[in-house]
Amino acid sequence: QGRVGGQFWSVYVPATLKGADSTRAVWEQIDLTRRMIAAYPRAFERADSADDIVRIHRAGRIASLFGIEGGEAINNNLAMLREFRAAGVLYMTLTHSTTIDWVDSATDAPKHGGLTPFGEDVVREMNRVGMLVDLSHVSAETMHDALDVATAPVIFSHSSAFGVTPHPRNVPDDVLRRLPENGGVVMVNFVPPFLSTEFWRWNARRSAEEARLKSLTPADPATVTAALAEWTAANPPPRVDASDVADHIEHVARVAGRDHVGLGGDFDGVNFLPVDLDGVEDYPVLFVELMRRGWSDADLAKLAGGNLLRALRQAERVAARS
């Protein structure tokens, strides 16, 4: 219904898992995802390259790709990184919500000033084996360090524009200006706190109220849920809709160019969504909004996946030369 032709399945595990526990959990997620894809062969087919994506899309199925969300899963071991790529992982987010041994997160205290020397080696090895470097969730310093090292395009699998909403998960303009030289793509996220400063502040208030409720003794989960629902009804969230997403898309396009923007909805990872983008079936709503703003069919084709395919093909060429 949403005309989806390809998607990354995030083989995500919580950032609280460390070392071998994280590695094992990601392998279990890969196994689970493979079995889900195999269970619906008329709908899905696993893709391992840009050509695979095009072929599967033309056959009327949804090209399914793996993405690791958090470099903790390699357990400081480049051999494990290579094994994940051999298993079909096409991108890895360098870290998730926490700073780890070799890379700073956007939402945790920095320890390294970006990437450590081992972190730089991770980026180089990802380029060598044809795995896209994903810079969502990392600090701005890490973004710059990765761009200094990368010889293949990077992606931001689910981030928005800091110049519109100054959330630490968003991409600053000085990073956006470097994307044309690198060839990278910012896949704009649909998460309301990243799209609207007003919603971000409201969500912080809601989180504080949730923490207060949980601190009560006894903190019965059902009671907390009911009380939080009452608070939300009395303090409704600010409206966020497809026009807000379009604002971020247009900002990335103005600063980096229309060759460097894509879509990273993050539908299966959030508590809230824009009111008119409640699931993949609503993608056409966003495209209609951009058509109203004068986006051509050619530009929309780039946004819908053309830019990501170009970045992936370029990454494949870099790996082939390595």
Side-chain angles (χ1 to χ4, degrees), residues 9-13 21-39 46-48 64-70 73-74 80-92 131:
W9 296 68
S10 178
V11 286
Y12 163 80
V13 298
D21 289 338
S22 177
T23 306
R24 182 178 63 252
V26 169
W27 281 118
E28 290 170 352
Q29 286 289 304
I30 290 172
D31 171 70
L32 171 65
T33 307
R34 284 181 183 275
R35 289 187 289 117
M36 289 174 68
I37 293 166
R46 193 173 71 81
D48 196 49
S64 299
L65 309 96
F66 298 154
I68 290 176
E69 195 165 352
I74 68 169
M80 191 55 61
L81 172 69
R82 291 187 285 271
E83 286 298 305
F84 280 131
R85 178 64 193 94
V89 174
L90 272 178
Y91 82 68
M92 184 175 75
M131 186 187 291

Side-chain angles (χ1 to χ4, degrees), residues 20 145 151 238 310:
D145 285 354
T151 55
R310 187 259 312 147

Side-chain angles (χ1 to χ4, degrees), residues 22 68-76 92-96 100 102-103:
S22 177
I68 290 176
E69 195 165 352
E72 181 73 31
I74 68 169
N75 199 14
N76 299 333
M92 184 175 75
T93 317
L94 296 185
T95 191
H96 191 250
I100 60 176
W102 47 271
V103 55

